[in-house]
Amino acid sequence: MRLENLCVSRPGVVRKAALGDYTAVKLTKCLVVSQLLLAGPGAGSSYVTTYAGKGHFPLVEKGRSVLLCATSRDYPGVIRVLRHLQADIERVTGYRPAVLLDTIPEAPAIVVVGTLGRHPLIDRLAKSGKLHAASIMGRWEAFAIQAIEEPLPGVRQALVIAGSDKRGTIFGMFDLSQQIGVSPWYWWADVPPKRKEALYILPGAHVELGPKVKYRGIFINDEAPALSGWAYETFGGFNHHFYEKVFELILRLKGNFLWPAMWGRAFYDDDPENPRLADEYGVVISTSHHEPMMRAHDEWRRYGSGPWNYALNQAKLQEFWREGIRRMGSYESIVTIGMRGDGDEPMSEETNIALLERIVQDQRRILEEVTGKKATDIPQVWALYKEVQDYYDRGMRVPDDVTLLLCDDNWGNIRRLPKPDAPPRAGGYGIYYHYDYVGGPRNYKWLNTNQIARVWEQMHLAYEHGARQIWIVNVGDIKPMEFPIDFFLDYAWDPERIGAEDLPAYVRSWAEEQFGSEHAAEIATFLTKYTTYNSRRKPELLAPTTYSLMNYREAERVVADYTGLEQRARRLFNTLPTEYRDAFYQLVLHPIEACANLNRLYVTVGKNHLYARQGRASTNALAKARELFQRDAEITHYYNKVLADGKWNHMMDQTHIGYTSWQQPETNIMPEVKEIPLREAADMGVAIEGSESWWPGGEGEAVLPEFDPFHRQSYYIEVFNRGKQPFHFSARPAYRWLRVSPEKGTVVDEQRLWVTVDWRKAPTGRHRVPITISGPSGNVVVIAPVFHPHAPRPETVQGFVESNGYIAIEAEHYTTAVTRDGVGWQRIPDLGRTFSAMTPFPVTAPRQVPGGSSPHLAYAVYLFTAGEAKVKAYLSPTLDYYGEGQQCYGVSFDDQPVQIVNIHEGRTFQDWEESVRNNVTVTVSRHTIDQPGQHVLKLWVVDPGVVVQRLVVETGKVRPSYLGPPESYYGSGSAR
């Protein structure tokens, strides 16, 4: 049957229509009629099954696939993506369905794909009420997928994929592709389709009501050397062959927006097919924050003349911009307006607000003259990037229809948000966010270091403050940012779908989508842990001195964390089916393996330098760090040359070792290692945990950290050789209840001795127990301080217990939480450098006056020390996004007055640099503890946006470390 015989007038747009006699249920991501169905990462059930059943639509059954029917009246992009759906069905089942245009055959079952108002059969089914399309009519990018019985004579059953607009139809098809088992990363990360013999669609209408954020996309940036080398080798450049893969990926992820590659690239000029193909696919093109009027930065080098200075070169710049708008034509675009300095630099110092406002006025006049439209009818964006925000803060304004694109600080911390009571703007607000950056205090471009928990926290802030027009994220070279890109676009589709506590389930669901259910939980752990470890310190910022080699075994624990994760991931890699290994390596194993090796390298170099100062014989053996440097090159070689038969060659070309400034080194540079001459005879040295010194060469006593029965610590003593000949040693504690293991032995290079206390025999009180280490050079005495209080006993104490001058608490481990009037502290799992984080909720709540029963967290603590106590709060480096100069929390002990701490008070640019280097800001309050014993530490809500990772109560001198001391013992007091 020819489709023209089915033409009907398009039904009127329904503003808020009920769905007939069915019950409309608003779900976390989609609207489903008559059956509870969820789709996408983080969701529950699927509307696709492999089993036949009553009312099930047979997409592929008994070796046959149904026909895919569309109309040539539809958008060309719809027809193009229909071919992708055709290929996806074949990828999954091995059966390739035929595609028919403008014909509906007589058949038991068919698939009908089309856009409302463009497909006669779909319009007819909508008008008759058989297709539940009322809910999507007139909406932005909405779609419905529904099996319909007897849609027309000769057809027993039709699966209809109907979109409210072009992208709605495209999203419907790609949603089905994802549901049947084709990951959006099937090409970009070689995720194999999930093979199935049969596919059925469950009864009911699966309806997506469209996104909550209007424009959602990525910015390809910093593309040399990795992406550029790969793109030229694979496609011959940044041409339409390359961009077709990018457009497809964006749409499969339900994005719709792109800032194209721009360093030496020009999207329009490099290949005129680029913008045409983008428009056909339905990907909205814009240009980055410093490329106004649809002209790439590199085009000024190619075609411009004179300075990039509007005050000096107005006419040439205007003509340059006119050409950009002429070339844009009718392609769906968002025009960037305003102006920055040449090459993404600040404007000159003499630039003033009046000049910038005139630039915007002139640009809008050009828009109207070239397009013949009113400027208010042309989507525009003004990016408040870096110094441009300063102009805005000083009063610069653009017309109300222009979207204000608010930005982060390039390190994932949003700089400015509108207040909840700010008047609405016709153009709305957007966010420009970063996963990758070139600039100070240091580039970070190599591997993914982005915790989705932090992305969630910051973008949740943005969404709740009304930034819902544009979300764009700088993804560098696309790879290896696959996981956080997916999260960013999935979250942008519906930020209300994923709450803070849903994040672990989201990660597991994403892992399941890529690799199946069997190992999803373990893979989710890998993804979460490696991004937590990378968030401690970005790889480019690592140094031999980053983690403490002496205190809390910090460097050892960091290396052990990575190594353990690497071993587990490698074991799983070796057991996976062969077809999954390339994807698993790219998405999971490679970032773990590469970063584990890099951390081993720097810690080994750090130990080499320390041991050289101590004159250890093992110094020279630690020059094996060169092998770890070579291992880094081998990992890169495997990714570039071996993985997926060399498909991703050059994608790991980014240098990452040997930074001396913010800019990357030209090549990776091996950190300096030392080799020292050794004495011929044996020569004993002794080092202890908690000190860089060695004895007998060190000054003062060799004193270990204190032991107590709550933490039941074990500390080490290292007996090492400073010569070439082995020697015998012995270790004798003054009391047998202090144990040293081993007590004697032979040292070739070094021997670690472990010191513990037998608490059943240790007397109460404070003791300083000498341990005599004997060797060829004489004796060294090490003091072991032991604190064994008569009370409380470990089984009766309640709360966190002081030891060695501190109590360390992960913020999540509160004793009680108090919420009032819906305001309280919200846990965000896996956010931060060590565990999870707590933040006030809701994020738009008004300022709270702390005290009494106002919202707070209470932590039971037991202190042995009276007097001054400092409370250090380890906070995520949130910025002053209201621009008010303050963002506060409260802290108090017991019923003492609450101290208000302003996390931005006195902060300098250098403080900001330090906080983003460390990915934490530490604030301090000082308190007086009247007497030892049981106390309650309280953390009070004052302002939203404060994100607390951990608290450290310091009652004495705390040994320095990067992450802070490990969490203290917590007694439940159950024996009471």
Side-chain angles (χ1 to χ4, degrees):
M1 182 182 298
R2 298 293 295 175
L3 281 177
E4 54 263 28
N5 297 327
L6 295 172
C7 287
V8 295
S9 59
R10 183 178 181 185
V13 174
V14 179
R15 290 187 295 275
K16 287 186 178 179
L19 298 180
D21 296 328
Y22 293 84
T23 300
V25 182
K26 185 179 180 184
L27 300 176
T28 54
K29 183 174 182 181
C30 58
L31 187 75
V32 179
V33 183
S34 83
Q35 184 157 346
L36 193 63
L37 305 171
L38 290 171
S45 303
S46 168
Y47 57 86
V48 174
T49 180
T50 57
Y51 300 102
K54 183 178 180 181
H56 291 194
F57 177 85
L59 187 63
V60 176
E61 182 182 52
K62 296 178 181 179
R64 293 190 305 173
S65 179
V66 298
L67 298 169
L68 306 180
C69 302
T71 172
S72 58
R73 297 180 183 181
D74 218 321
Y75 298 96
V78 168
I79 307 304
R80 179 181 285 272
V81 172
L82 184 61
R83 303 290 182 185
H84 286 294
L85 177 60
Q86 177 190 38
D88 288 344
I89 293 171
E90 184 179 22
R91 288 185 179 102
V92 171
T93 66
Y95 306 114
R96 186 177 183 86
V99 171
L100 294 180
L101 293 181
D102 302 323
T103 299
I104 300 293
E106 291 188 2
I110 61 172
V111 174
V112 180
V113 176
T115 309
L116 291 173
R118 292 252 175 172
H119 196 295
L121 176 57
I122 288 176
D123 289 346
R124 177 178 175 180
L125 293 171
K127 186 175 183 179
S128 69
K130 288 187 174 182
L131 174 65
H132 295 286
S135 60
I136 67 171
M137 286 181 182
R139 298 186 72 95
W140 179 264
E141 300 176 349
F143 63 87
I145 299 175
Q146 181 184 348
I148 297 175
E149 303 293 331
E150 306 292 343
L152 71 167
V155 178
R156 187 171 68 246
Q157 199 176 21
L159 180 69
V160 177
I161 304 174
S164 62
D165 53 22
K166 175 172 66 176
R167 279 191 295 272
T169 309
I170 289 171
F171 291 153
M173 288 186 281
F174 278 145
D175 192 80
L176 178 59
S177 289
Q178 196 167 357
Q179 287 277 329
I180 67 175
V182 178
S183 167
W185 300 100
Y186 81 96
W187 191 86
W188 278 94
D190 303 300
V191 177
K194 312 301 183 293
R195 298 288 295 184
K196 302 177 179 74
E197 290 298 319
L199 294 170
Y200 299 91
I201 310 301
L202 296 177
H206 171 81
V207 181
E208 291 271 15
L209 296 179
K212 298 291 177 60
V213 177
K214 188 170 186 179
Y215 295 103
R216 312 159 309 281
I218 64 174
F219 175 24
I220 302 172
N221 195 226
D222 313 329
E223 58 270 6
L227 184 65
S228 62
W230 172 79
Y232 277 95
E233 182 172 297
T234 306
F235 298 108
F238 289 78
N239 52 35
H240 73 278
H241 301 293
F242 163 78
Y243 276 111
E244 182 172 9
K245 295 296 185 183
V246 175
F247 301 152
E248 180 191 346
L249 175 66
I250 290 172
L251 293 170
R252 283 183 183 271
L253 296 173
K254 292 189 175 68
N256 61 5
F257 188 58
L258 174 67
W259 283 358
M262 48 74 56
W263 288 113
R265 330 291 169 205
F267 181 77
Y268 273 84
D269 197 55
D270 289 343
D271 184 348
E273 185 68 4
N274 285 344
R276 190 208 66 77
L277 190 62
D279 194 66
E280 179 178 316
Y281 263 107
V283 175
V284 180
I285 298 298
S286 186
T287 46
S288 68
H289 53 277
H290 70 106
E291 298 178 295
M293 302 294 278
M294 303 304 293
R295 297 303 299 263
H297 163 255
D298 201 58
E299 290 187 82
W300 183 252
R301 180 187 63 81
R302 299 178 190 184
Y303 306 116
S305 61
W308 181 264
N309 186 312
Y310 200 72
L312 302 176
N313 201 17
Q314 176 176 319
K316 292 291 180 63
L317 281 164
Q318 285 193 5
E319 183 50 39
F320 180 73
W321 292 336
R322 282 181 185 276
E323 175 56 28
I325 303 306
R326 279 195 293 266
R327 191 177 56 184
M328 175 185 76
S330 60
Y331 295 147
E332 190 177 7
S333 309
I334 299 178
V335 179
T336 298
I337 61 171
M339 190 174 183
R340 288 197 80 215
D342 192 12
D344 199 15
E345 294 294 328
M347 297 283 275
S348 60
E349 292 186 6
E350 63 271 16
T351 302
N352 56 59
I353 289 175
L355 175 61
L356 288 167
E357 288 179 337
R358 179 161 64 86
I359 290 171
V360 171
Q361 291 171 1
D362 291 347
Q363 288 171 339
R364 285 167 65 86
R365 176 175 51 80
I366 291 170
L367 285 172
E368 292 185 334
E369 291 173 354
V370 174
T371 66
K373 301 177 181 178
K374 293 181 180 179
T376 53
D377 295 332
I378 303 170
Q380 297 153 67
V381 62
W382 182 43
L384 304 186
Y385 185 71
K386 288 191 176 180
E387 83 289 344
V388 180
Q389 182 183 302
D390 298 334
Y391 299 133
Y392 177 79
D393 290 343
R394 298 204 307 264
M396 179 179 172
R397 293 296 180 264
V398 295
D400 192 64
D401 61 277
V402 176
T403 300
L404 293 185
L405 191 66
L406 308 168
C407 303
D408 70 355
D409 62 352
N410 305 304
W411 291 76
N413 310 299
I414 294 175
R415 298 178 66 202
R416 184 69 77 243
L417 288 171
K419 293 183 179 179
D421 59 354
R425 292 179 50 83
Y429 297 90
I431 297 292
Y432 171 35
Y433 202 73
H434 283 76
Y435 285 166
D436 171 288
Y437 178 58
V438 171
R442 189 157 292 180
N443 298 348
Y444 63 96
K445 302 166 56 179
W446 178 43
L447 291 176
N448 174 34
T449 59
N450 303 283
Q451 290 182 298
I452 66 164
R454 180 61 169 171
V455 178
W456 181 93
E457 184 266 329
Q458 288 288 286
M459 298 311 294
H460 174 78
L461 272 176
Y463 181 76
E464 293 298 319
H465 283 82
R468 305 181 179 188
Q469 188 72 3
I470 299 172
W471 284 11
I472 180 85
V473 59
N474 185 330
V475 301
D477 301 326
I478 301 178
K479 296 179 71 67
M481 302 297 175
E482 298 95 338
F483 176 48
I485 289 173
D486 207 328
F487 176 78
F488 187 89
L489 293 179
D490 199 54
Y491 188 56
W493 180 268
D494 186 359
E496 298 171 21
R497 175 175 64 91
I498 304 173
E501 295 293 348
D502 299 322
L503 290 169
Y506 178 92
V507 182
R508 176 169 179 160
S509 180
W510 192 85
E512 183 174 349
E513 181 182 23
Q514 316 313 319
F515 303 106
S517 60
E518 182 180 358
H519 303 292
E522 188 175 18
I523 293 171
T525 298
F526 297 155
L527 293 167
T528 300
K529 290 296 185 184
Y530 99 72
T531 50
T532 295
Y533 299 160
N534 280 352
S535 78
R536 293 168 173 170
R537 188 83 167 183
K538 294 186 185 295
E540 293 87 345
L541 282 158
L542 287 171
T545 56
T546 297
Y547 298 111
S548 176
L549 295 167
M550 293 73 61
N551 298 321
Y552 314 118
R553 284 170 238 153
E554 182 178 64
E556 293 181 20
R557 288 189 292 112
V558 166
V559 168
D561 286 344
Y562 270 114
T563 300
L565 201 66
E566 178 186 20
Q567 291 171 346
R568 289 172 57 194
R570 174 60 68 176
R571 282 197 297 269
L572 181 55
F573 174 85
N574 290 335
T575 62
L576 286 174
T578 303
E579 64 268 23
Y580 280 100
R581 292 185 184 179
D582 285 346
F584 185 81
Y585 189 81
Q586 293 168 64
L587 298 174
V588 183
L589 179 55
H590 173 257
I592 296 172
E593 179 179 68
C595 288
N597 184 76
L598 189 68
N599 277 268
R600 280 194 293 269
L601 168 63
Y602 279 112
V603 170
T604 303
V605 172
K607 290 174 70 174
N608 169 263
H609 293 179
L610 173 64
Y611 288 8
R613 293 194 297 271
Q614 296 176 341
R616 296 198 193 197
S618 56
T619 299
N620 299 342
L622 289 174
K624 68 179 182 182
R626 297 189 184 100
E627 299 173 9
L628 297 170
F629 182 76
Q630 179 59 35
R631 175 62 182 148
D632 179 89
E634 292 168 359
I635 293 169
T636 298
H637 175 82
Y638 179 85
Y639 196 110
N640 282 344
K641 300 293 187 179
V642 180
L643 174 70
D645 296 324
K647 176 181 177 180
W648 302 111
N649 189 30
H650 297 297
M651 271 296 191
M652 280 300 128
D653 284 356
Q654 177 61 48
T655 55
H656 48 276
I657 307 174
Y659 276 76
T660 57
S661 68
W662 68 268
Q663 184 57 285
Q664 66 198 37
E666 289 300 311
T667 59
N668 287 328
I669 301 170
M670 171 65 202
E672 178 191 13
V673 289
K674 300 180 182 296
E675 296 187 52
I676 60 173
L678 301 177
R679 302 177 184 184
E680 289 296 327
D683 185 14
M684 183 182 76
V686 174
I688 62 172
E689 183 168 349
S691 176
E692 285 191 23
S693 298
W694 67 279
W695 288 268
E699 296 181 1
E701 289 184 309
V703 183
L704 289 167
E706 189 173 70
F707 296 82
D708 68 71
F710 306 96
H711 298 85
R712 295 182 174 264
Q713 300 93 336
S714 60
Y715 297 122
Y716 66 78
I717 299 170
E718 287 181 332
V719 181
F720 59 87
N721 199 344
R722 292 166 49 84
K724 295 180 180 180
Q725 301 301 316
F727 65 85
H728 297 286
F729 78 93
S730 64
R732 300 186 307 277
Y735 303 107
R736 298 311 298 174
W737 50 262
L738 188 74
R739 296 175 175 176
V740 181
S741 178
E743 289 189 339
K744 60 183 178 179
T746 300
V747 173
V748 177
D749 287 330
E750 60 192 32
Q751 173 73 56
R752 179 170 284 190
L753 319 181
W754 289 101
V755 183
T756 57
V757 175
D758 184 346
W759 293 105
R760 296 170 300 173
K761 299 178 180 179
T764 59
R766 291 188 181 272
H767 310 275
R768 284 168 50 88
V769 182
I771 304 169
T772 303
I773 313 295
S774 301
S777 309
N779 297 333
V780 172
V781 176
V782 176
I783 302 298
V786 178
F787 177 44
H788 192 189
H790 177 73
R793 306 300 299 167
E795 64 271 15
T796 64
V797 72
Q798 186 174 22
F800 292 95
V801 180
E802 177 189 354
S803 177
N804 283 287
Y806 72 86
I807 293 176
I809 306 169
E810 296 296 337
E812 176 189 344
H813 293 156
Y814 53 85
T815 307
T816 58
V818 174
T819 300
R820 191 173 74 177
D821 299 330
V823 178
W825 289 93
Q826 168 68 49
R827 171 180 178 263
I828 304 179
D830 305 308
L831 193 161
R833 308 188 310 176
T834 51
F835 205 71
S836 297
M838 304 296 293
T839 191
F841 248 51
V843 296
T844 55
R847 167 173 270 226
Q848 304 292 300
V849 178
S853 61
S854 74
H856 67 274
L857 300 174
Y859 301 86
V861 297
Y862 195 96
L863 295 168
F864 293 104
T865 308
E868 183 181 77
K870 293 187 292 186
V871 177
K872 290 186 175 179
Y874 288 63
L875 313 170
S876 295
T878 305
L879 299 180
D880 176 22
Y881 51 76
Y882 287 157
E884 294 181 335
Q886 64 177 2
Q887 199 166 31
C888 301
Y889 66 92
V891 61
S892 66
F893 278 97
D894 305 321
D895 295 323
Q896 295 178 6
V898 179
Q899 293 189 33
I900 305 297
V901 181
N902 180 1
I903 70 175
H904 301 300
E905 184 175 5
R907 303 287 291 176
T908 65
F909 176 75
Q910 288 71 29
D911 292 326
W912 169 83
E913 284 197 317
E914 190 67 12
S915 68
V916 296
R917 283 191 193 101
N918 299 337
N919 200 20
V920 78
T921 296
V922 180
T923 55
V924 182
S925 58
R926 288 174 168 80
H927 309 263
T928 299
I929 305 300
D930 294 333
Q931 59 184 4
Q934 196 75 51
H935 295 275
V936 178
L937 172 65
K938 298 176 182 178
L939 183 67
W940 301 86
V941 173
V942 179
D943 293 317
V946 176
V947 180
V948 184
Q949 298 181 17
R950 65 200 318 256
L951 300 167
V952 176
V953 182
E954 295 189 356
T955 59
K957 186 177 181 180
V958 176
R959 300 172 190 269
S961 63
Y962 180 77
L963 297 172
E967 188 170 32
S968 300
Y969 169 83
Y970 184 87
S972 63
S974 58
R976 295 184 178 182

